[in-house]
Amino acid sequence: MKFKRGLVKRKMAKIIDGKTISLDIKNEVKQIAENLVEKGVKPCLAVILVGQNPASQVYVRNKKTACEYCGIKSLSYELDESISEKELLDLIDKLNENKECNGILVQLPLPKHIDENKVLLRISPEKDVDGFHPYNVGLLSIGKAELKACTPAGCIELIKRSGVDISGKNCVVVGRSNIVGKPVSMLLLAENGTVTICHSKTKDIKAVCKEADILVAAVGIPNFIKGDMVKEGVVVIDVGINRLENGKLCGDVDFEEVEKKASYITPVPGGVGPMTIAMLMKNCIVACKNQNNI
Ligand code: L34
């Protein structure tokens, strides 16, 4: 926009504040957890961490802190890197049987000698608070999921709670992983978005992204989405959390460039990350209620 004396008004996107929105959700969860305790039921989540991945340690610590805040009991299992697959499966069997425990979360990634799929399949679908079990993935794809994958569900909440209507919008998801790209696409579709998924084999990613009213970036490449890949007014949800050599966190979106064109954009950190945890808390409550027929 040109103004008198050649001044150019810089447009700025509204920043979607994942910290504030996640706190709202955690407060809602806290209230429900208190009501459950009054009924004699204490929600409880088991968190399993294998090995010493520093990022995983941070995320798991954040999850336990959130449990405490919300009034959810957490059972913590920190297992040695060298644990066998069988030992891990035995622990899951034990937690599946444990009536006190409502949710089981095995933090990913797992060490190479353990088959991730086998582990995720072993978690009882009613306790699958990550929404990774094929049973829950199936329910998600027919629009009937109770336990929705946390990061994808968090993306949808960020969009909705910013007052953006998804219905009829061109939604472009960059990335097709089982834990983000695919499930977030199904959720956007359930909200009546027109959904396009692009990935490393897509012929002209830029052209596809340019059509997006809502863009979800989940590729795992720092600053992959540049300013010239989006249209004016786009709503941008950045799922990437890449740690740069200088130790700084950075998203999949070139924030500085894209922020100038977007109407709404999530920051990294402080965007999707905290929402993943808030939605996990919500899933714990859903699992707990279902298991107690409340
Ligand atoms: N089983 N494994 C399982 N479930 C999950 O939902 C996850 N994920 C992903 C990795 N492995 C998993 C997470 O918990 C990613 N993830 C996650 C959780 C929390 C945060 C980021 C990713 C988070 O708290 N992010 C903060 C910054 C934290 C920091 O300083 O590093 C943020 O503001 O983005």
Side-chain angles (χ1 to χ4, degrees), residues 96 101-104 123-129 133 135-136 147 283-284 286-288 290-291:
N96 280 337
C101 160
N102 306 119
I104 303 171
I123 297 170
S124 161
E126 312 84 75
K127 297 194 178 185
D128 170 36
V129 284
H133 191 287
Y135 177 80
N136 288 318
L147 297 172
N283 276 347
C284 290
V286 170
C288 176
N290 285 344
Q291 285 157 39

Side-chain angles (χ1 to χ4, degrees), residues 18-19 48 54-56 58-60 62-63 104-110 120 123 128-132 149-152 179-180 238-241 243 247 249 267-278 280:
K19 274 205 167 150
I48 304 174
S56 297
V58 172
Y59 306 153
V60 162
N62 291 351
K63 289 176 186 185
I104 303 171
L105 179 138
V106 180
Q107 188 70 19
L108 302 177
L110 287 169
L120 297 180
I123 297 170
D128 170 36
V129 284
D130 262 326
F132 289 164
C150 304
T151 301
I179 64 171
V180 184
D238 189 350
V239 183
I241 5 168
R243 199 166 289 275
L249 282 185
V268 177
V272 174
M275 290 301 288
T276 296
I277 295 178
L280 172 68

Side-chain angles (χ1 to χ4, degrees), residues 39 43 46 74 87 93 95 164-165 169 179 200 209 218 257 274:
K39 293 194 171 86
S74 67
E87 284 172 287
D93 288 341
L95 291 167
V164 174
D165 189 14
K169 299 279 166 62
I179 64 171
S200 55
C209 288
E257 285 187 22

